[in-house]
Amino acid sequence: MTRQCAPPASGTGAPLSGSVLAEAAVVFAVVLSIHAAVWDRYSWCAVALAVQAFYVQYKWDRLLQQGSAVFRFRTSANSGLLPASVVMPLLGLVMKERCQSAGNPYFERFGIVVAASGMAVALFSSVLALGLTRPVPSNTCVISGLAGGVIIYIMKHSLSVGEVIEVLEVLLIFVYLNMILLYLLPRCFTPGEALLVLGGISFMLNQLIKRSLTVVESQGDPVDFFLLVVVVGMVLMGVFFSTLFVFMDSGTWASSIFFHLMTCVLALGVVLPWLHRLIHRNPLLWLLQFLFQTNTRIYLLAYWTLLATLACQVVLYQNAKRSSSESKKHQAPTIARKYFHFIVVATYVPGIVFDRSLLYVAATVCLAVFLFLEYVRYFRIKPLGHTLRSLLSLFLDERDSGPLILTHIYLLLGDVSSHLASP
């Protein structure tokens, strides 16, 4: 879990690069521009969090360069802790302001809880970095202590007892997910990516448990519950099979059959009943009715199917070129990667214009499919595991240096976040 290596020759880290300073300037500009219109006590929290994250990011970078960070993080130019620390708090504060202007006090409080949870997990990551840095950075510890004191003081006078408990629950889940997933998936995340992804999953898991225990008739839109159940179900599925295949060879036909059978059991016996309890209707029938409710949705689904077919053709064509190439290290050119960026834009724009709810549900379904196929590839599940490994290896770069390929999954998160931010 911890990699030991010789300490650096100098007691101080390398100076901050121009790219890191430019990134920090952009982040601070975004934070200040968002709060410029509605400056309140929560704005002080956001600014204090960004300042301390800027200093702590430098310490994370030193840990990664020295190879002494807990767990094996993905190699990168920097840890990305500063931008990751402000995403969830800003998302929550935007939700609060939009719901306040719309006269929705319940979701206004929900936005405050989102912001407080994001600040809590960011502070935990900062304390973790400072506790591991040797020698202990006194100035950075003072800055983080002052920022943490400001955040705790303001949140103490802003949150109810139940909301404080909810934030602590999210933090507890985040700690456990860090210990489990970062151990099972070395080199898949930078510290900033781990903070952002695992923090979001922790909040969603806590919300799903809370709503499942207090379920009532007609308590919300089924579309909102669909994301919670699908994401949590896929994460639990990954943890289950990662633990199981420590003791089994996942590449055999017997293990592959067991994988598919257990996937059906988890889907039909856990995920669907869980979703049925939340939306009070058959999830499969609801999904079919939702997808084919209007002619516009049918046209969009047909259009997206065409784009998906085009993306598959690009993959097959590039692999055919690799097969005919004399070089065994043939990699897809940069222009081939831009095809996928174009396809993503061509997918999202019509959905945003004509039917955002359908785009959100379709993105959630695609996220589940991507995760399932990634499990099949990672565990070498027959009959597609080895084929997927061969086809996708052509598009790997330093951002996918770990056992999982996550770049295409990250592309879906923007749409989901934009839906969650809307009132």
Side-chain angles (χ1 to χ4, degrees), residues 148-227:
V150 170
I151 293 172
I152 293 173
Y153 176 79
I154 293 178
M155 288 304 169
K156 174 185 175 183
H157 296 279
S158 304
L159 301 177
S160 65
V161 175
E163 290 169 342
V164 171
I165 294 175
E166 190 171 350
V167 171
L168 294 178
E169 290 170 349
V170 173
L171 180 59
L172 182 62
I173 296 173
F174 176 78
V175 173
Y176 277 106
L177 285 181
N178 266 273
M179 291 191 299
I180 295 174
L181 294 184
L182 294 182
Y183 175 76
L184 294 175
L185 305 174
R187 302 185 308 279
C188 285
F189 305 96
T190 64
E193 291 170 347
L195 169 61
L196 194 58
V197 174
L198 300 184
I201 293 175
S202 301
F203 186 83
M204 294 173 64
L205 179 57
N206 180 69
Q207 286 296 310
L208 184 57
I209 295 173
K210 175 185 174 183
R211 298 187 186 190
S212 298
L213 295 176
T214 60
V215 64
V216 294
E217 294 288 341
S218 302
Q219 66 167 348
D221 189 345
V223 173
D224 298 326
F225 294 112
F226 186 64
L227 172 68

Side-chain angles (χ1 to χ4, degrees), residues 58-130:
Y58 180 49
K59 307 306 174 184
W60 261 121
D61 293 344
R62 287 180 54 192
L63 290 174
L64 295 177
Q65 294 167 4
Q66 298 169 10
S68 55
V70 173
F71 306 111
R72 287 175 290 171
F73 289 100
R74 180 169 65 82
T75 56
S76 178
N78 62 71
S79 62
L81 190 65
L82 171 58
S85 295
V86 301
V87 170
M88 268 187 76
L90 287 181
L91 175 62
L93 294 175
V94 169
M95 291 174 62
K96 178 187 78 71
E97 291 299 327
R98 296 189 66 178
C99 293
Q100 185 179 29
S101 61
N104 191 333
Y106 174 78
F107 282 101
E108 180 184 348
R109 300 302 307 176
F110 180 75
I112 295 175
V113 173
V114 173
S117 300
M119 293 178 185
V121 296
L123 285 174
F124 171 81
S125 297
S126 299
V127 171
L128 179 64
L130 296 176

Side-chain angles (χ1 to χ4, degrees), residues 314 318 321 332-340:
V314 171
Q318 291 297 327
K321 287 181 61 177
T334 303
I335 188 64
R337 301 176 185 273
K338 300 305 179 183
Y339 292 153
F340 296 104

Side-chain angles (χ1 to χ4, degrees), residues 42 72 84 131 146 161 185 253 281 357 389 420:
Y42 303 109
R72 287 175 290 171
L146 292 174
V161 175
L185 305 174
W253 273 107
R281 65 185 74 175
S357 296
R389 278 179 174 250
L420 291 176

